[in-house]
Amino acid sequence: MLEEDCSDKNLEILFLSEDSRKLVQTLSNTNSLKILKLLETKDMSAGELAEKLSLGLSTLKYNLDSLLDAGMIRVSDVKWSQRGRKIKIYEPVEKIIVLVPGCRDICKEEILGMFLKNTQENFCIDGD
């Protein structure tokens, strides 16, 4: 599928599909956005996130699962508690996401070209 052909480590191009719907749903959830904002400051475990956000673990787990499924966060480390339980540490995924509202035969290079052209037209790149 074209979506897979246009994805790499730092750039994800999504056409209107189930994957883009999941991403938009996840990003429209207030708790998911709060989680992402907290993870910008430092990597945290579910317990730390639940405490800082005053959320129940089931609500937090639902949002973490949605963010993981949408590719917005990942497990950066696994630690062990004093009781021998596995504790996952989460971090945000740094990438550019482009949503293409149409299913034309467009490739990553064309989208990158349009993106760069638009960026150069709207921002001063050389410091002027």
Side-chain angles (χ1 to χ4, degrees):
M1 185 172 191
L2 195 53
E3 283 179 34
E4 294 170 354
D5 295 339
C6 290
S7 295
D8 68 21
K9 185 177 177 182
N10 297 318
L11 174 67
E12 185 170 355
I13 298 171
L14 293 173
F15 295 90
L16 294 179
S17 67
E18 183 64 21
D19 288 338
S20 62
R21 186 185 69 75
K22 286 180 193 175
L23 176 68
V24 171
Q25 265 186 324
T26 299
L27 292 176
S28 65
N29 181 301
T30 304
N31 288 328
S32 291
L33 290 176
K34 288 177 182 178
I35 291 167
L36 285 171
K37 282 289 186 196
L38 269 178
L39 290 176
E40 283 179 7
T41 61
K42 79 174 213 174
D43 299 353
M44 293 185 209
S45 68
E48 292 172 306
L49 288 163
E51 183 180 322
K52 291 203 180 275
L53 295 171
S54 300
L55 291 176
L57 284 175
S58 61
T59 300
L60 185 78
K61 181 170 176 9
Y62 169 81
N63 287 283
L64 287 174
D65 288 344
S66 294
L67 288 164
L68 285 164
D69 191 40
M72 300 300 297
I73 64 171
R74 67 177 155 240
V75 175
S76 63
D77 197 8
V78 176
K79 297 182 178 181
W80 296 94
S81 73
Q82 292 178 345
R83 296 181 179 166
R85 293 187 181 148
K86 190 189 293 189
I87 300 173
K88 295 177 184 175
I89 307 299
Y90 298 94
E91 70 179 358
V93 173
E94 294 181 8
K95 64 181 173 182
I96 296 170
I97 299 171
V98 178
L99 180 61
V100 181
C103 203
R104 290 188 260 166
D105 291 330
I106 189 166
C107 71
K108 181 175 160 182
E109 288 76 21
E110 290 176 275
I111 292 172
L112 280 173
M114 289 187 291
F115 182 76
L116 290 172
K117 181 181 178 202
N118 189 38
T119 302
Q120 290 170 349
E121 290 173 359
N122 291 308
F123 297 101
C124 181
I125 294 181
D126 61 2
D128 291 337

